[in-house]
Amino acid sequence: MSMIYLDNAATSYPKPEDTYVFMDRFFRSHGVNPGRSGYDLCMEAGQLVDDTRRQLTRFFNGTDPDRLVFTYNSTDALNLALFGMLSPGDHAITTTVEHNSVLRPLHHLSQYHGVEVDRVPFDGRGFVDPGDIAARFKPNTRVVAMNHGSNVIGTVQPVAEVGRLCRERGIRFVVDSSQTAGKIPIDVQAMHVDVLAFTGHKSLMGPTGIGGLYVQPHVDIRHTRAGGTGVRSAHPFHLDEYPWRLEYGTPNVLGIAGLHAGVSWLEQQGLAAIEAHEMRLLRRLVEGLRGIPNVTMYCQDDLADHIAVMVFNVDGFEAGNTGTILDVDHNIACRTGLHCAPLVHAQLGLDAIKGAVRFGIGPFNTDAHIEAAIGAVGEIAAARAAKAR
Ligand SMILES: Cc1ncc(COP(=O)(O)O)c(C=O)c1O
């Protein structure tokens, strides 16, 4: 059997055929530097960049496409946002469900830039209580930075409620949508999100190297970099106007083309249909693994408010060993370890280095993939139990 790819939480693979075809065609026909000159090709390449700003602004229900800026990925986007919003003496609140793309910038800010950071734990089901966040609000709280969907336990956090509480207090709400953008609908207005960070290569079905921020019109982020913008070049400082304010140098126009095609594909399929497919597979996977003695899953009780990501361990077996056997003996690709979210594993009491095994389901997974994964884990668990006897 050819490889079964269950590592979609790391990056989606394969991409829709449309993404490959459009990128190839665009790169050959329009692979020039957009927005820098007046010849037709350059203008057309710039038009695609602007169309994609509009497309993603619509996709997230934003209002101003100029406030949709492109970055390399969500790590880059979150760094721009957090370093551009927090100053010495500020207080920031985050959670223990975060990826290092939020934890580490905030740690740097706390260690070197005089920002105080609070980390709110999740409950036994994997959810952060908005009340626990509000309980930590202080007069100098500037930012709440929070994960939308966990890349480890798959829980979808109550961001709309947290956003509402932040808005009431004038605290800026930054949301990391790396795992949810393209999986479930995101409405920055209804969810009171001030700054949304997204990555293009996961469920938005684009290539690696492209991501971005949507910054609400009432919010400003300081520029923490400076460079070429292609316009008003005589100005000695980096431009204050969006989108240039947060874009530096030649954009990843090929990545933007791929992202454009990926999002168009999602719009054709409909997010609801994709979500229903992935969640049906997740339910079957969890049910199958639940039936195997010696397999422990984490935070997978009723799968409400969940994306199609889950972690487990075979009791008595290191996650890395399970992953190696899945790969070598069963040709199943997954991810093991801490998944760049060490505090989730710490709070679950998992090994601080070895962590857990993760399956991430994508739109191209099938029932056969899931049955093969259940069978493979069953064999590994049975072999481990026999050895222990
Ligand atoms: C929840 C979460 N946030 C942030 C990131 C970082 O994404 P990128 O590597 O594309 O910057 C990831 C990627 O694994 C993630 O799962």
Side-chain angles (χ1 to χ4, degrees):
M1 198 190 211
S2 57
M3 183 189 67
I4 295 173
Y5 186 77
L6 285 172
D7 197 18
N8 287 283
T11 196
S12 55
Y13 178 81
K15 308 296 175 188
E17 190 56 23
D18 294 6
T19 302
Y20 299 123
V21 170
F22 190 72
M23 285 178 76
D24 182 70
R25 214 175 59 212
F26 184 81
F27 200 31
R28 289 174 196 280
S29 63
H30 287 83
V32 299
N33 203 328
R36 264 57 179 170
S37 306
Y39 54 90
D40 285 354
L41 267 192
C42 183
M43 300 294 278
E44 285 161 19
Q47 191 59 50
L48 179 90
V49 174
D50 288 342
D51 285 350
T52 311
R53 282 191 214 287
R54 274 194 289 276
Q55 179 191 39
L56 282 161
T57 301
R58 238 185 5 251
F59 193 74
F60 297 130
N61 200 28
T63 50
D64 181 357
D66 283 346
R67 292 277 179 144
L68 189 299
V69 301
F70 292 110
T71 64
Y72 302 125
N73 48 41
S74 57
T75 304
D76 190 37
L78 287 158
N79 271 271
L80 283 178
L82 295 171
F83 279 88
M85 295 171 87
L86 287 161
S87 305
D90 285 346
H91 174 235
I93 301 174
T94 189
T95 81
T96 57
V97 90
E98 305 307 314
H99 186 274
N100 271 338
S101 56
V102 168
L103 294 177
R104 284 180 171 162
L106 287 178
H107 187 65
H108 279 244
L109 282 158
S110 76
Q111 295 301 298
Y112 304 125
H113 300 274
V115 173
E116 186 196 348
V117 179
D118 258 336
R119 296 175 191 85
V120 179
F122 53 90
D123 66 17
R125 296 175 55 234
F127 296 99
V128 177
D129 183 339
D132 290 350
I133 292 185
R136 286 172 167 81
F137 286 169
K138 301 203 293 186
N140 62 335
T141 306
R142 268 285 291 159
V143 165
V144 171
M146 186 170 180
N147 180 278
H148 189 198
S150 168
N151 63 313
V152 184
I153 47 180
T155 46
V156 176
Q157 302 300 330
V159 290
E161 178 58 8
V162 177
R164 191 184 61 77
L165 293 167
C166 290
R167 191 62 61 81
E168 275 171 17
R169 289 285 293 255
I171 295 167
R172 298 300 187 219
F173 187 38
V174 178
V175 171
D176 171 10
S177 74
S178 303
Q179 289 293 335
T180 50
K183 268 204 187 319
I184 54 177
I186 293 178
D187 181 329
V188 290
Q189 295 184 70
M191 293 172 169
H192 313 290
V193 175
D194 291 315
V195 178
L196 183 81
F198 61 91
T199 201
H201 66 97
K202 298 186 195 272
S203 297
L204 290 174
M205 295 294 151
T208 50
I210 189 70
L213 282 174
Y214 181 73
V215 183
Q216 291 269 28
H218 62 272
V219 177
D220 271 328
I221 298 178
R222 281 191 308 273
H223 24 67
T224 46
R225 299 176 190 161
T229 48
V231 297
R232 299 190 35 219
S233 296
H235 194 59
F237 292 99
H238 196 83
L239 302 186
D240 283 332
E241 299 91 330
Y242 291 82
W244 303 287
R245 185 181 180 107
L246 296 177
E247 290 184 350
Y248 311 87
T250 302
N252 177 4
V253 65
L254 181 57
I256 292 169
L259 182 55
H260 184 81
V263 174
S264 301
W265 181 84
L266 287 174
E267 287 173 335
Q268 282 157 25
Q269 307 296 312
L271 285 196
I274 295 173
E275 190 194 357
H277 170 73
E278 292 183 356
M279 288 305 291
R280 185 178 64 75
L281 296 183
L282 179 71
R283 278 191 202 95
R284 171 64 196 130
L285 177 62
V286 167
E287 175 196 277
L289 297 191
R290 220 174 247 149
I292 302 172
N294 309 322
V295 169
T296 304
M297 294 181 282
Y298 308 97
C299 303
Q300 263 98 45
D301 45 5
D302 58 5
L303 299 179
D305 295 318
H306 221 279
I307 49 172
V309 177
M310 59 86 65
V311 278
F312 69 97
N313 269 317
V314 175
D315 299 346
F317 224 20
E318 284 177 9
N321 289 342
T322 306
T324 303
I325 299 173
L326 284 170
D327 174 23
V328 175
D329 292 353
H330 301 275
N331 212 3
I332 295 175
C334 64
R335 168 111 183 252
T336 65
L338 300 185
H339 317 101
C340 296
L343 301 187
V344 177
H345 292 79
Q347 205 184 309
L348 293 173
L350 300 181
D351 187 288
I353 307 288
K354 289 156 191 147
V357 185
R358 178 179 74 189
F359 285 144
I361 296 171
F364 298 113
N365 285 125
T366 64
D367 292 270
H369 294 164
I370 300 303
E371 295 309 324
I374 295 167
V377 175
E379 273 183 35
I380 295 169
R384 168 71 207 164
K387 207 166 161 206
R389 276 200 291 272

Short mmCIF file of all heavy atoms in Angstrom, two decimals, residues 51-106:
data_model
loop_
_atom_site.label_atom_id
_atom_site.label_comp_id
_atom_site.label_asym_id
_atom_site.label_seq_id
_atom_site.Cartn_x
_atom_site.Cartn_y
_atom_site.Cartn_z
N ASP A 51 -6.01 40.54 -5.28
CA ASP A 51 -7.19 39.66 -5.29
C ASP A 51 -7.15 38.70 -4.11
O ASP A 51 -8.18 38.41 -3.49
CB ASP A 51 -7.22 38.81 -6.58
CG ASP A 51 -7.63 39.63 -7.79
OD1 ASP A 51 -8.07 40.78 -7.60
OD2 ASP A 51 -7.48 39.11 -8.91
N THR A 52 -5.94 38.22 -3.79
CA THR A 52 -5.83 37.26 -2.69
C THR A 52 -6.06 37.96 -1.35
O THR A 52 -6.64 37.38 -0.43
CB THR A 52 -4.46 36.54 -2.75
OG1 THR A 52 -4.28 36.08 -4.09
CG2 THR A 52 -4.39 35.37 -1.80
N ARG A 53 -5.61 39.21 -1.24
CA ARG A 53 -5.95 39.98 -0.02
C ARG A 53 -7.46 40.07 0.14
O ARG A 53 -8.00 39.89 1.24
CB ARG A 53 -5.46 41.44 -0.15
CG ARG A 53 -4.02 41.66 0.08
CD ARG A 53 -3.74 43.18 0.19
NE ARG A 53 -2.44 43.49 -0.37
CZ ARG A 53 -1.28 43.19 0.21
NH1 ARG A 53 -1.25 42.58 1.37
NH2 ARG A 53 -0.15 43.52 -0.37
N ARG A 54 -8.14 40.34 -0.97
CA ARG A 54 -9.60 40.48 -0.91
C ARG A 54 -10.26 39.15 -0.57
O ARG A 54 -11.16 39.06 0.27
CB ARG A 54 -10.15 41.00 -2.24
CG ARG A 54 -10.12 42.52 -2.34
CD ARG A 54 -10.97 43.01 -3.51
NE ARG A 54 -10.33 42.68 -4.77
CZ ARG A 54 -9.39 43.43 -5.34
NH1 ARG A 54 -9.01 44.56 -4.79
NH2 ARG A 54 -8.84 43.08 -6.48
N GLN A 55 -9.74 38.10 -1.22
CA GLN A 55 -10.31 36.76 -1.01
C GLN A 55 -10.20 36.34 0.47
O GLN A 55 -11.17 35.87 1.07
CB GLN A 55 -9.54 35.78 -1.89
CG GLN A 55 -9.97 34.35 -1.78
CD GLN A 55 -8.97 33.42 -2.48
OE1 GLN A 55 -7.76 33.62 -2.40
NE2 GLN A 55 -9.48 32.41 -3.17
N LEU A 56 -9.01 36.55 1.06
CA LEU A 56 -8.82 36.12 2.45
C LEU A 56 -9.56 37.03 3.42
O LEU A 56 -10.04 36.58 4.46
CB LEU A 56 -7.32 36.08 2.78
CG LEU A 56 -6.64 34.83 2.22
CD1 LEU A 56 -5.13 35.03 2.16
CD2 LEU A 56 -6.96 33.60 3.06
N THR A 57 -9.65 38.31 3.10
CA THR A 57 -10.41 39.24 3.96
C THR A 57 -11.86 38.77 4.02
O THR A 57 -12.48 38.71 5.09
CB THR A 57 -10.31 40.68 3.42
OG1 THR A 57 -8.94 41.04 3.38
CG2 THR A 57 -11.06 41.67 4.29
N ARG A 58 -12.40 38.40 2.85
CA ARG A 58 -13.77 37.86 2.79
C ARG A 58 -13.87 36.56 3.58
O ARG A 58 -14.79 36.35 4.35
CB ARG A 58 -14.10 37.56 1.32
CG ARG A 58 -15.29 38.26 0.77
CD ARG A 58 -15.67 37.87 -0.63
NE ARG A 58 -14.95 36.81 -1.29
CZ ARG A 58 -14.10 36.98 -2.30
NH1 ARG A 58 -13.83 38.19 -2.76
NH2 ARG A 58 -13.49 35.96 -2.87
N PHE A 59 -12.88 35.71 3.37
CA PHE A 59 -12.87 34.37 4.00
C PHE A 59 -12.95 34.48 5.52
O PHE A 59 -13.57 33.66 6.19
CB PHE A 59 -11.58 33.66 3.56
CG PHE A 59 -11.55 32.19 3.84
CD1 PHE A 59 -12.30 31.31 3.09
CD2 PHE A 59 -10.77 31.69 4.87
CE1 PHE A 59 -12.26 29.94 3.34
CE2 PHE A 59 -10.72 30.33 5.13
CZ PHE A 59 -11.48 29.45 4.37
N PHE A 60 -12.29 35.51 6.08
CA PHE A 60 -12.28 35.69 7.54
C PHE A 60 -13.31 36.72 7.99
O PHE A 60 -13.31 37.14 9.14
CB PHE A 60 -10.89 36.13 8.01
CG PHE A 60 -9.80 35.11 7.76
CD1 PHE A 60 -8.61 35.47 7.14
CD2 PHE A 60 -9.96 33.79 8.16
CE1 PHE A 60 -7.61 34.53 6.91
CE2 PHE A 60 -8.96 32.83 7.95
CZ PHE A 60 -7.79 33.21 7.32
N ASN A 61 -14.15 37.15 7.05
CA ASN A 61 -15.15 38.20 7.30
C ASN A 61 -14.55 39.50 7.86
O ASN A 61 -15.11 40.13 8.75
CB ASN A 61 -16.30 37.71 8.19
CG ASN A 61 -17.53 38.59 8.05
OD1 ASN A 61 -17.74 39.20 6.99
ND2 ASN A 61 -18.31 38.72 9.10
N GLY A 62 -13.39 39.87 7.33
CA GLY A 62 -12.82 41.19 7.64
C GLY A 62 -13.48 42.24 6.77
O GLY A 62 -14.37 41.93 5.95
N THR A 63 -13.05 43.50 6.93
CA THR A 63 -13.70 44.57 6.19
C THR A 63 -12.74 45.32 5.26
O THR A 63 -13.18 45.92 4.29
CB THR A 63 -14.32 45.60 7.17
OG1 THR A 63 -13.31 45.95 8.13
CG2 THR A 63 -15.52 45.01 7.88
N ASP A 64 -11.44 45.29 5.57
CA ASP A 64 -10.51 46.12 4.80
C ASP A 64 -9.36 45.26 4.26
O ASP A 64 -8.45 44.89 5.01
CB ASP A 64 -9.96 47.23 5.71
CG ASP A 64 -9.01 48.15 4.97
OD1 ASP A 64 -8.72 47.89 3.78
OD2 ASP A 64 -8.53 49.12 5.59
N PRO A 65 -9.36 44.96 2.95
CA PRO A 65 -8.32 44.08 2.39
C PRO A 65 -6.90 44.62 2.57
O PRO A 65 -5.96 43.84 2.59
CB PRO A 65 -8.69 44.01 0.90
CG PRO A 65 -10.10 44.43 0.82
CD PRO A 65 -10.37 45.34 1.96
N ASP A 66 -6.74 45.95 2.72
CA ASP A 66 -5.39 46.46 2.94
C ASP A 66 -4.83 46.02 4.30
O ASP A 66 -3.63 46.09 4.54
CB ASP A 66 -5.38 48.00 2.90
CG ASP A 66 -5.45 48.49 1.46
OD1 ASP A 66 -5.23 47.67 0.54
OD2 ASP A 66 -5.75 49.68 1.26
N ARG A 67 -5.75 45.61 5.17
CA ARG A 67 -5.33 45.16 6.51
C ARG A 67 -4.99 43.67 6.53
O ARG A 67 -4.79 43.10 7.59
CB ARG A 67 -6.45 45.46 7.51
CG ARG A 67 -6.65 46.97 7.73
CD ARG A 67 -5.64 47.39 8.72
NE ARG A 67 -5.66 48.78 9.05
CZ ARG A 67 -5.39 49.21 10.28
NH1 ARG A 67 -5.19 48.38 11.26
NH2 ARG A 67 -5.32 50.49 10.52
N LEU A 68 -5.04 43.06 5.37
CA LEU A 68 -4.64 41.65 5.25
C LEU A 68 -3.21 41.67 4.72
O LEU A 68 -2.98 42.04 3.56
CB LEU A 68 -5.62 40.93 4.29
CG LEU A 68 -5.58 39.41 4.13
CD1 LEU A 68 -4.26 38.89 3.60
CD2 LEU A 68 -5.99 38.69 5.39
N VAL A 69 -2.26 41.33 5.58
CA VAL A 69 -0.86 41.40 5.16
C VAL A 69 -0.28 40.00 5.07
O VAL A 69 -0.66 39.11 5.81
CB VAL A 69 -0.01 42.28 6.11
CG1 VAL A 69 -0.57 43.69 6.17
CG2 VAL A 69 0.08 41.69 7.51
N PHE A 70 0.66 39.85 4.13
CA PHE A 70 1.27 38.54 3.93
C PHE A 70 2.60 38.44 4.69
O PHE A 70 3.39 39.40 4.70
CB PHE A 70 1.48 38.26 2.44
CG PHE A 70 0.18 38.08 1.71
CD1 PHE A 70 -0.27 39.04 0.82
CD2 PHE A 70 -0.62 36.97 1.96
CE1 PHE A 70 -1.48 38.88 0.16
CE2 PHE A 70 -1.83 36.80 1.32
CZ PHE A 70 -2.27 37.76 0.41
N THR A 71 2.79 37.28 5.30
CA THR A 71 4.03 36.98 6.02
C THR A 71 4.52 35.62 5.51
O THR A 71 3.94 35.06 4.59
CB THR A 71 3.78 36.92 7.53
OG1 THR A 71 2.88 35.83 7.79
CG2 THR A 71 3.14 38.21 8.06
N TYR A 72 5.57 35.09 6.14
CA TYR A 72 6.07 33.78 5.69
C TYR A 72 5.20 32.63 6.19
O TYR A 72 5.07 31.59 5.55
CB TYR A 72 7.49 33.54 6.19
CG TYR A 72 8.46 34.59 5.74
CD1 TYR A 72 9.24 35.30 6.65
CD2 TYR A 72 8.59 34.88 4.38
CE1 TYR A 72 10.11 36.27 6.22
CE2 TYR A 72 9.46 35.86 3.95
CZ TYR A 72 10.21 36.55 4.88
OH TYR A 72 11.07 37.53 4.46
N ASN A 73 4.67 32.78 7.37
CA ASN A 73 3.89 31.70 8.00
C ASN A 73 3.25 32.31 9.26
O ASN A 73 3.40 33.52 9.49
CB ASN A 73 4.79 30.51 8.37
CG ASN A 73 6.05 30.94 9.10
OD1 ASN A 73 6.02 31.82 9.95
ND2 ASN A 73 7.17 30.34 8.75
N SER A 74 2.62 31.51 10.09
CA SER A 74 1.98 32.14 11.25
C SER A 74 3.01 32.48 12.33
O SER A 74 2.78 33.40 13.12
CB SER A 74 0.83 31.32 11.81
OG SER A 74 1.25 30.06 12.14
N THR A 75 4.11 31.77 12.39
CA THR A 75 5.15 32.12 13.36
C THR A 75 5.64 33.55 13.10
O THR A 75 5.77 34.37 14.01
CB THR A 75 6.34 31.14 13.24
OG1 THR A 75 5.83 29.82 13.41
CG2 THR A 75 7.41 31.43 14.25
N ASP A 76 5.89 33.84 11.83
CA ASP A 76 6.34 35.17 11.43
C ASP A 76 5.25 36.20 11.76
O ASP A 76 5.53 37.28 12.32
CB ASP A 76 6.60 35.11 9.92
CG ASP A 76 7.29 36.33 9.37
OD1 ASP A 76 8.15 36.88 10.07
OD2 ASP A 76 6.96 36.73 8.23
N ALA A 77 4.01 35.84 11.46
CA ALA A 77 2.88 36.75 11.70
C ALA A 77 2.75 37.05 13.20
O ALA A 77 2.58 38.21 13.61
CB ALA A 77 1.59 36.12 11.17
N LEU A 78 2.84 36.01 14.02
CA LEU A 78 2.67 36.20 15.47
C LEU A 78 3.82 37.01 16.06
O LEU A 78 3.63 37.83 16.96
CB LEU A 78 2.55 34.83 16.16
CG LEU A 78 1.20 34.15 15.90
CD1 LEU A 78 1.28 32.64 16.12
CD2 LEU A 78 0.10 34.77 16.78
N ASN A 79 5.02 36.80 15.54
CA ASN A 79 6.15 37.62 15.99
C ASN A 79 5.94 39.09 15.66
O ASN A 79 6.17 39.96 16.49
CB ASN A 79 7.46 37.12 15.37
CG ASN A 79 8.12 36.05 16.22
OD1 ASN A 79 8.92 36.36 17.09
ND2 ASN A 79 7.77 34.81 15.98
N LEU A 80 5.48 39.36 14.43
CA LEU A 80 5.21 40.75 14.04
C LEU A 80 4.17 41.36 14.97
O LEU A 80 4.31 42.49 15.42
CB LEU A 80 4.68 40.82 12.61
CG LEU A 80 5.67 40.66 11.47
CD1 LEU A 80 4.93 40.71 10.14
CD2 LEU A 80 6.72 41.78 11.53
N ALA A 81 3.12 40.59 15.25
CA ALA A 81 2.02 41.12 16.06
C ALA A 81 2.47 41.35 17.50
O ALA A 81 2.29 42.44 18.06
CB ALA A 81 0.83 40.17 16.02
N LEU A 82 3.07 40.34 18.12
CA LEU A 82 3.35 40.44 19.55
C LEU A 82 4.46 41.46 19.84
O LEU A 82 4.34 42.28 20.75
CB LEU A 82 3.70 39.05 20.11
CG LEU A 82 2.53 38.06 20.04
CD1 LEU A 82 2.98 36.64 20.39
CD2 LEU A 82 1.38 38.50 20.96
N PHE A 83 5.52 41.43 19.03
CA PHE A 83 6.59 42.42 19.24
C PHE A 83 6.12 43.82 18.87
O PHE A 83 6.63 44.81 19.38
CB PHE A 83 7.86 42.03 18.47
CG PHE A 83 8.68 40.99 19.18
CD1 PHE A 83 8.43 39.65 18.99
CD2 PHE A 83 9.69 41.36 20.07
CE1 PHE A 83 9.18 38.67 19.67
CE2 PHE A 83 10.43 40.41 20.75
CZ PHE A 83 10.18 39.05 20.55
N GLY A 84 5.15 43.90 17.97
CA GLY A 84 4.66 45.21 17.53
C GLY A 84 3.54 45.77 18.39
O GLY A 84 3.08 46.90 18.16
N MET A 85 3.08 44.99 19.36
CA MET A 85 1.96 45.47 20.19
C MET A 85 2.36 45.64 21.65
O MET A 85 1.71 46.39 22.38
CB MET A 85 0.79 44.48 20.11
CG MET A 85 0.17 44.39 18.73
SD MET A 85 -1.03 43.06 18.61
CE MET A 85 -2.50 43.89 19.18
N LEU A 86 3.36 44.90 22.10
CA LEU A 86 3.70 44.90 23.53
C LEU A 86 4.92 45.77 23.79
O LEU A 86 5.87 45.79 23.00
CB LEU A 86 3.94 43.47 24.00
CG LEU A 86 2.65 42.65 24.11
CD1 LEU A 86 2.94 41.15 24.12
CD2 LEU A 86 1.86 43.05 25.36
N SER A 87 4.91 46.46 24.93
CA SER A 87 6.01 47.36 25.32
C SER A 87 6.38 47.06 26.77
O SER A 87 5.59 46.45 27.51
CB SER A 87 5.54 48.82 25.24
OG SER A 87 5.05 49.10 23.95
N PRO A 88 7.56 47.52 27.19
CA PRO A 88 7.95 47.31 28.59
C PRO A 88 6.87 47.82 29.55
O PRO A 88 6.28 48.88 29.31
CB PRO A 88 9.24 48.13 28.73
CG PRO A 88 9.79 48.18 27.34
CD PRO A 88 8.60 48.22 26.43
N GLY A 89 6.60 47.03 30.59
CA GLY A 89 5.58 47.41 31.57
C GLY A 89 4.20 46.85 31.24
O GLY A 89 3.30 46.90 32.07
N ASP A 90 4.02 46.31 30.03
CA ASP A 90 2.72 45.73 29.66
C ASP A 90 2.57 44.34 30.25
O ASP A 90 3.56 43.63 30.50
CB ASP A 90 2.60 45.60 28.13
CG ASP A 90 2.36 46.94 27.45
OD1 ASP A 90 2.02 47.91 28.16
OD2 ASP A 90 2.52 47.00 26.21
N HIS A 91 1.33 43.95 30.39
CA HIS A 91 0.99 42.60 30.84
C HIS A 91 0.29 41.89 29.68
O HIS A 91 -0.55 42.48 29.01
CB HIS A 91 0.05 42.72 32.05
CG HIS A 91 -0.50 41.42 32.55
ND1 HIS A 91 -1.85 41.18 32.69
CD2 HIS A 91 0.12 40.28 32.94
CE1 HIS A 91 -2.03 39.96 33.16
NE2 HIS A 91 -0.86 39.39 33.31
N ALA A 92 0.67 40.62 29.45
CA ALA A 92 0.03 39.83 28.39
C ALA A 92 -0.46 38.52 29.00
O ALA A 92 0.16 37.99 29.92
CB ALA A 92 1.01 39.54 27.26
N ILE A 93 -1.58 38.03 28.47
CA ILE A 93 -2.13 36.76 28.95
C ILE A 93 -2.15 35.79 27.78
O ILE A 93 -2.54 36.14 26.66
CB ILE A 93 -3.57 36.96 29.49
CG1 ILE A 93 -3.57 37.98 30.63
CG2 ILE A 93 -4.15 35.62 29.96
CD1 ILE A 93 -4.96 38.35 31.13
N THR A 94 -1.71 34.57 28.05
CA THR A 94 -1.82 33.52 27.06
C THR A 94 -2.26 32.24 27.78
O THR A 94 -2.73 32.31 28.91
CB THR A 94 -0.50 33.37 26.27
OG1 THR A 94 -0.73 32.49 25.18
CG2 THR A 94 0.63 32.84 27.12
N THR A 95 -2.15 31.09 27.11
CA THR A 95 -2.65 29.85 27.71
C THR A 95 -1.60 28.76 27.58
O THR A 95 -0.63 28.89 26.83
CB THR A 95 -3.93 29.37 27.00
OG1 THR A 95 -3.56 28.69 25.80
CG2 THR A 95 -4.88 30.51 26.67
N THR A 96 -1.85 27.65 28.27
CA THR A 96 -0.90 26.54 28.19
C THR A 96 -1.19 25.65 26.97
O THR A 96 -0.49 24.66 26.76
CB THR A 96 -0.93 25.68 29.46
OG1 THR A 96 -2.26 25.22 29.67
CG2 THR A 96 -0.46 26.45 30.67
N VAL A 97 -2.19 26.00 26.19
CA VAL A 97 -2.50 25.19 25.02
C VAL A 97 -1.71 25.67 23.78
O VAL A 97 -1.76 25.06 22.72
CB VAL A 97 -4.04 25.18 24.79
CG1 VAL A 97 -4.49 26.30 23.90
CG2 VAL A 97 -4.51 23.85 24.23
N GLU A 98 -0.93 26.73 23.98
CA GLU A 98 -0.27 27.38 22.83
C GLU A 98 0.86 26.58 22.21
O GLU A 98 1.55 25.82 22.87
CB GLU A 98 0.30 28.75 23.24
CG GLU A 98 -0.67 29.70 23.86
CD GLU A 98 -1.92 29.93 23.04
OE1 GLU A 98 -1.80 30.14 21.83
OE2 GLU A 98 -3.01 29.92 23.62
N HIS A 99 1.08 26.89 20.96
CA HIS A 99 2.26 26.45 20.19
C HIS A 99 3.42 27.38 20.55
O HIS A 99 3.20 28.52 20.98
CB HIS A 99 1.88 26.58 18.71
CG HIS A 99 2.87 26.07 17.74
ND1 HIS A 99 3.92 26.83 17.29
CD2 HIS A 99 2.96 24.88 17.10
CE1 HIS A 99 4.61 26.12 16.40
NE2 HIS A 99 4.04 24.93 16.27
N ASN A 100 4.63 26.92 20.31
CA ASN A 100 5.81 27.77 20.59
C ASN A 100 5.81 29.08 19.80
O ASN A 100 6.52 30.02 20.15
CB ASN A 100 7.10 27.00 20.28
CG ASN A 100 7.57 26.21 21.51
OD1 ASN A 100 7.21 26.55 22.64
ND2 ASN A 100 8.36 25.17 21.28
N SER A 101 5.03 29.14 18.73
CA SER A 101 4.99 30.39 17.95
C SER A 101 4.34 31.53 18.74
O SER A 101 4.51 32.69 18.38
CB SER A 101 4.27 30.18 16.62
OG SER A 101 2.99 29.68 16.87
N VAL A 102 3.61 31.19 19.79
CA VAL A 102 3.10 32.20 20.72
C VAL A 102 3.96 32.19 22.00
O VAL A 102 4.36 33.24 22.51
CB VAL A 102 1.61 31.94 21.08
CG1 VAL A 102 1.16 32.80 22.25
CG2 VAL A 102 0.74 32.22 19.86
N LEU A 103 4.23 30.99 22.50
CA LEU A 103 4.96 30.90 23.78
C LEU A 103 6.33 31.55 23.72
O LEU A 103 6.72 32.28 24.62
CB LEU A 103 5.13 29.43 24.19
CG LEU A 103 3.87 28.65 24.54
CD1 LEU A 103 4.21 27.19 24.85
CD2 LEU A 103 3.14 29.29 25.73
N ARG A 104 7.07 31.26 22.65
CA ARG A 104 8.46 31.75 22.63
C ARG A 104 8.56 33.26 22.42
O ARG A 104 9.33 33.91 23.12
CB ARG A 104 9.27 30.97 21.60
CG ARG A 104 9.64 29.58 22.12
CD ARG A 104 10.46 28.81 21.10
NE ARG A 104 10.98 27.60 21.68
CZ ARG A 104 11.44 26.58 20.94
NH1 ARG A 104 11.43 26.65 19.63
NH2 ARG A 104 11.91 25.50 21.52
N PRO A 105 7.81 33.86 21.49
CA PRO A 105 7.88 35.33 21.41
C PRO A 105 7.52 35.97 22.75
O PRO A 105 8.18 36.92 23.19
CB PRO A 105 6.85 35.69 20.33
CG PRO A 105 6.75 34.47 19.49
CD PRO A 105 7.00 33.30 20.41
N LEU A 106 6.50 35.42 23.42
CA LEU A 106 6.11 36.01 24.71
C LEU A 106 7.20 35.76 25.76
O LEU A 106 7.46 36.62 26.61
CB LEU A 106 4.77 35.45 25.18
CG LEU A 106 3.55 35.96 24.41
CD1 LEU A 106 2.27 35.30 24.92
CD2 LEU A 106 3.42 37.49 24.52
#
